Amino acid sequence: MTCLDEGTLQAYLDGELSPETLNGIAAHLAACAPCTEAARAAQEELALFSTAYTPALCVSVPTAKLRARLDEAIAELNTAPRPFATQPAISSRLRSFYESIVASLTTFTPRQATAFASFLVAVAFAVVAFVLTGSPDKPNASQDEIAKVTQVPIPAATINGTRGDEQTGRDQVEIQTPGDPSDAPVRINRRPSTSGVNFINASSPAPSGVARVNGGSANPVTATPKSEPVLEDEKTYLSSIASLSTAIEARGAEAMTPTLRAEYERNLAVVNQAIVSSRVAARQNPQDTDAKDFLRAAYQNKVELLSAIADQSQLASSRD
Amino acid sequence: MRVRASKISETAEALRNPEEEVATPAPQTSADANALGFDEAFMLHHRAVYNTSYALLRDAGLAEDVTQEVFLRFYHQLNAEPPADEFLRPWLLRVAINLSHNTMRSRTRSVAREEEFAKQSIGTDGLTAPLDADYERRTEIEEARRVLEKIEEPMRSCLLLKQQGLSYREIASTLSINETYVGSLVARGRKEFARVYGKIGGRKG
């Protein structure tokens, strides 16, 4: 017997072979070392796949919900009037209306044609008379409006980049300041929240919520962020801290013992003070990598402190 | 051998680019067909349909939508030509796989922009590290799902269906391939899984 191909070997391992074939293959495997080795490797790979992927299949199936949805859909199917029944009626009515118009336009009698031509001539005369009687000196209203608009000073704009109710696409507002030609146009890129989900945390101190403003400093729009990130990954730390703080407040504020809470607040004050002082140092010396390292370590300390508190409060709340 | 390879590649192409409007497959009926009623079919197979859709879509809401659509099509089919019992599960899973692929394709188009925006707004992926103890386990499951996604069709569907307990005959019927090819497709799929899983997870395959 020749050596087994991978398909036959796999079918053998999966118990998909007929009893006659099975006996022959078992005998061959007992005698052939390479095939035995291939079978062992295949079993290992199968075990790996099974171990790794089986948990992914263990999802809870919402049987009751599915059944309710199906029953509702089937009930709708059986009770609702069929949409296809009315569709041809509407289209046929439209078609007959269109055909009647086309028929009336294409079947001109000589008398109708003469009447239509005289009507066109009358309209042409009326238009010419109107143009000639109009005063050429009268200022154009639209030009006047444009002139007025150019004199109106542009008010200082208030930019709020965290609004979640904007439904339009990405807005690009361009404000041209006519009085100061040296200023470049101010472009404000506002990104909307999508699908009703506000990805930007308004309460977060992270500067991610501030609108991006590019322009000269002389512009009336001065929405430059108050605190620009000192570290590249500062936003990451701030977001982590915000989410941990929210979790602690939501879950563990009541679960925390007074002692734990006092300790938490004391440690938090220390860590916050460290962040403030190292941040000031890092801002004053942007090139100083040590200052940045201190700031990063301070942030890390705060994240670790909050994580520990969150774990403890979670433990306490689960024990209750 | 060439005929065999071309047949497999045709199936792969069909699974990669399913028709936008999923055609309900013609049911395979037998002379002594004793078709199951709707309720029995739902009770027996809704788990397999939901699990298959969820495995492909990785979204509970979308998997529910697909499952509902699959059984609605079966409901319509009951009045026409219901599939025989032995072909019912493959029929349902075939509709589920096709619908899931279509859903995935439309979702990829519409959601990609939102996801990109979310990443940019928040900064990096996975910022909000969950505090629960299952984090590591869920990461491993996600990893296994990602690896399976990297396996090409029809090997991926073969592995997925086999893991759900379908026989070679049912897999062949679901994917419209010859039953004799299923063994080698499963073998190639598990080899590829072990290779990619070893690479991503740093494990020895």
Side-chain angles (χ1 to χ4, degrees):
Chain A
M1 188 175 183
T2 54
C3 282
L4 307 173
D5 66 89
E6 61 179 9
T8 312
L9 186 60
Q10 184 65 43
Y12 168 76
L13 294 173
D14 288 336
E16 290 278 347
L17 294 177
S18 63
E20 308 85 60
T21 325
L22 202 66
N23 291 335
I25 286 174
H28 175 78
L29 277 175
C32 179
C35 284
T36 311
E37 176 56 25
R40 192 194 56 76
Q43 273 178 322
E44 274 183 12
E45 284 172 356
L46 278 175
L48 174 74
F49 173 67
S50 193
T51 311
Y53 197 71
T54 302
L57 283 173
C58 294
V59 290
S60 58
V61 181
T63 300
K65 189 178 173 191
L66 282 170
R67 183 70 223 205
R69 281 183 62 172
L70 261 176
D71 288 343
E72 196 179 331
I74 289 170
E76 272 180 27
L77 273 179
N78 292 334
T79 55
R82 290 194 173 276
F84 293 112
T86 56
Q87 197 77 11
I90 293 169
S91 62
S92 66
R93 264 186 300 182
L94 282 175
R95 199 182 302 119
S96 61
F97 175 64
Y98 172 74
E99 280 168 0
S100 67
I101 287 177
V102 168
S104 64
L105 287 176
T106 50
T107 56
F108 260 24
T109 61
R111 190 185 291 175
Q112 283 173 325
T114 314
F116 189 65
S118 47
F119 172 71
L120 282 181
V121 169
V123 168
F125 269 115
V127 169
V128 169
F130 180 76
V131 169
L132 288 177
T133 52
S135 169
D137 299 332
K138 191 178 177 182
N140 193 324
S142 60
Q143 284 177 3
D144 194 32
E145 279 172 15
I146 290 170
K148 276 183 191 168
V149 166
T150 52
Q151 288 166 7
V152 173
I154 295 175
T158 305
I159 298 168
N160 185 359
T162 61
R163 280 173 55 190
D165 56 350
E166 291 164 342
Q167 296 296 330
T168 54
R170 182 188 301 180
D171 290 342
Q172 191 170 73
V173 183
E174 188 169 316
I175 304 170
Q176 184 83 40
T177 51
D180 187 359
S182 65
D183 280 341
V186 182
R187 285 178 186 273
I188 305 160
N189 288 326
R190 288 184 301 180
R191 295 195 153 189
S193 67
T194 51
S195 311
V197 180
N198 193 359
F199 290 112
I200 302 167
N201 187 0
S203 64
S204 166
S208 62
V210 182
R212 234 179 347 172
V213 178
N214 303 322
S217 58
N219 286 321
V221 182
T222 52
T224 312
K226 276 182 188 172
S227 56
E228 286 181 5
V230 179
L231 302 173
E232 297 82 21
D233 49 356
E234 190 169 6
K235 214 156 56 169
T236 312
Y237 281 119
L238 290 171
S239 302
S240 303
I241 288 167
S243 64
L244 282 168
S245 305
T246 313
I248 290 170
E249 288 302 321
R251 195 182 299 158
E254 299 83 16
M256 249 189 267
T257 59
T259 321
L260 179 64
R261 186 161 189 88
E263 194 183 350
Y264 161 61
E265 282 167 0
R266 194 171 57 243
N267 289 342
L268 196 62
V270 172
V271 172
N272 282 339
Q273 182 57 41
I275 288 175
V276 169
S277 54
S278 56
R279 198 168 196 285
V280 169
R283 179 171 288 284
Q284 284 170 351
N285 307 298
Q287 306 302 325
D288 190 353
T289 53
D290 289 340
K292 285 187 176 179
D293 286 343
F294 279 123
L295 177 57
R296 196 172 282 117
Y299 272 127
Q300 191 60 42
N301 283 342
K302 184 166 182 178
V303 169
E304 283 169 11
L305 170 69
L306 291 174
S307 300
I309 294 296
D311 285 346
Q312 285 195 22
S313 57
Q314 188 187 14
L315 199 67
S317 62
S318 65
R319 214 182 291 137
D320 289 342
Chain B
M1 194 58 165
R2 188 173 294 168
V3 175
R4 176 173 162 171
S6 69
K7 283 222 171 205
I8 291 174
S9 66
E10 274 173 24
T11 310
E13 193 59 31
L15 285 170
R16 268 196 297 269
N17 300 311
E19 294 291 321
E20 188 73 45
E21 190 59 40
V22 176
T24 306
Q28 291 168 287
T29 53
S30 59
D32 57 344
N34 180 22
L36 282 176
F38 183 80
D39 291 342
E40 286 171 295
F42 177 81
M43 285 317 296
L44 281 174
H45 301 305
H46 77 277
R47 288 177 177 281
V49 170
Y50 181 85
N51 276 333
T52 305
S53 311
Y54 187 85
L56 293 172
L57 293 165
R58 294 164 58 190
D59 182 289
L62 292 175
E64 282 175 27
D65 291 346
V66 167
T67 308
Q68 176 176 334
E69 182 60 25
V70 168
F71 280 97
L72 279 180
R73 289 186 185 210
F74 174 62
Y75 181 78
H76 287 301
Q77 200 67 39
L78 271 178
N79 297 324
E81 197 178 6
D85 284 3
E86 57 184 314
F87 297 115
L88 178 57
R89 184 156 69 158
W91 187 91
L92 294 168
L93 291 178
R94 189 175 176 192
V95 178
I97 288 173
N98 287 342
L99 283 170
S100 300
H101 278 123
N102 280 354
T103 307
M104 251 190 304
R105 197 166 51 171
S106 57
R107 187 179 62 159
T108 307
R109 280 199 295 261
S110 63
V111 172
R113 227 178 311 133
E114 289 186 17
E115 285 180 348
E116 183 58 32
F117 172 59
K119 276 183 200 168
Q120 286 179 6
S121 301
I122 299 171
T124 57
D125 283 330
L127 266 187
T128 52
L131 296 167
D132 57 279
D134 288 342
Y135 179 63
E136 194 178 349
R137 187 175 152 270
R138 283 196 285 119
T139 310
E140 283 176 6
I141 291 174
E142 272 307 300
E143 204 172 271
R145 284 187 180 135
R146 274 207 307 275
V147 173
L148 192 71
E149 272 181 6
K150 291 189 181 300
I151 297 174
E152 285 188 16
E153 292 288 9
M155 279 92 78
R156 175 172 48 171
S157 290
C158 276
L159 272 183
L160 182 61
L161 294 172
K162 184 189 155 311
Q163 198 59 24
Q164 297 211 60
L166 269 73
S167 67
Y168 278 17
R169 191 180 183 197
E170 285 180 305
I171 293 173
S173 176
T174 303
L175 302 178
S176 298
I177 54 176
N178 194 317
E179 191 179 332
T180 52
Y181 306 153
V182 175
S184 65
L185 288 172
V186 171
R188 282 159 59 189
R190 53 114 168 115
K191 271 185 190 169
E192 187 63 9
F193 185 91
R195 190 183 69 78
V196 182
Y197 194 68
K199 200 160 52 174
I200 287 182
R203 299 168 177 83
K204 176 76 183 79

